[in-house]
Amino acid sequence: QIAVTVAVGLLVAIFAILLLGWLSDRYPRIGVLAICYMVGGVGTLVLAIAGTLWQFWIASMLITVLTASENLSNALATDLAPRQLMGKGLSFTNSGRWFGAVAGLALAGYAIEALGTRAAFLMTFLLVPVSVLMVARIRQDTVRLEQPVVEKLLQPAMDYDGSDADR
């Protein structure tokens, strides 16, 4: 039954990635990301109260939408990062996501041990508004205006031409 639940989530992922890419080309990526976070949050809520196999399938499908949104994060990073810092912007985006996953899994383990599984998933659901508000604070129009600040902070990285001659 676990294998079928995983397979259901993976089947949804195939279509979710394509649908999210299509949506992000037509609507603001920030809004699509916020919706993905909300759908994933509802998935954790369903997971917290799930008791039958079909409920776990629903939770798996909803959480998969959140996982599929990783591509949108990369697309948003390419929209926001200055051209000369594109590689760094993408590496920071992906490193931050991995750091968050590792920290989140570690904290989830402690929460499950201390509070139980249901309470831990309900606490995760409470983080959804925080993530939506954080994404909503990203303003594409002002990030481009602040580009000189970014350039000043990362000037050594911008001056590096990729050769090791100066080392």
Side-chain angles (χ1 to χ4, degrees):
Q1 292 178 357
I2 292 174
V4 174
T5 303
V6 171
V8 167
L10 292 175
L11 285 173
V12 169
I14 293 169
F15 298 106
I17 290 170
L18 296 172
L19 177 64
L20 292 175
W22 180 82
L23 287 171
S24 75
D25 287 341
R26 284 156 185 75
Y27 302 101
R29 291 193 213 296
I30 292 171
V32 177
L33 265 175
I35 291 170
C36 289
Y37 292 161
M38 287 186 270
V39 169
V42 170
T44 60
L45 183 63
V46 172
L47 189 60
I49 61 173
T52 62
L53 184 59
W54 69 270
Q55 291 169 335
F56 284 104
W57 288 357
I58 298 293
S60 177
M61 287 186 262
L62 294 172
I63 293 170
T64 297
V65 171
L66 176 63
T67 305
S69 72
E70 290 178 3
N71 296 325
L72 292 181
S73 298
N74 287 336
L76 183 61
T78 61
D79 290 346
L80 298 177
R83 183 177 194 91
Q84 63 272 27
L85 298 175
M86 192 69 61
K88 292 229 181 272
L90 287 170
S91 66
F92 282 128
T93 299
N94 290 311
S95 297
R97 189 170 40 242
W98 276 101
F99 176 77
V102 170
L105 289 171
L107 292 173
Y110 288 121
I112 289 171
E113 285 180 11
L115 306 171
T117 305
R118 183 162 290 169
F121 286 131
L122 289 173
M123 285 178 50
T124 301
F125 178 71
L126 295 176
L127 293 174
V128 171
V130 174
S131 64
V132 170
L133 288 173
M134 288 175 69
V135 169
R137 289 187 46 86
I138 299 172
R139 295 184 15 206
Q140 291 180 338
D141 57 337
T142 59
V143 172
R144 290 289 184 193
L145 295 175
E146 296 171 7
Q147 183 174 345
V149 174
V150 173
E151 290 174 357
K152 185 176 180 182
L153 290 173
L154 299 175
Q155 190 64 43
M158 293 171 51
D159 292 339
Y160 181 65
D161 64 359
S163 70
D164 290 330
D166 57 338
R167 291 185 180 213

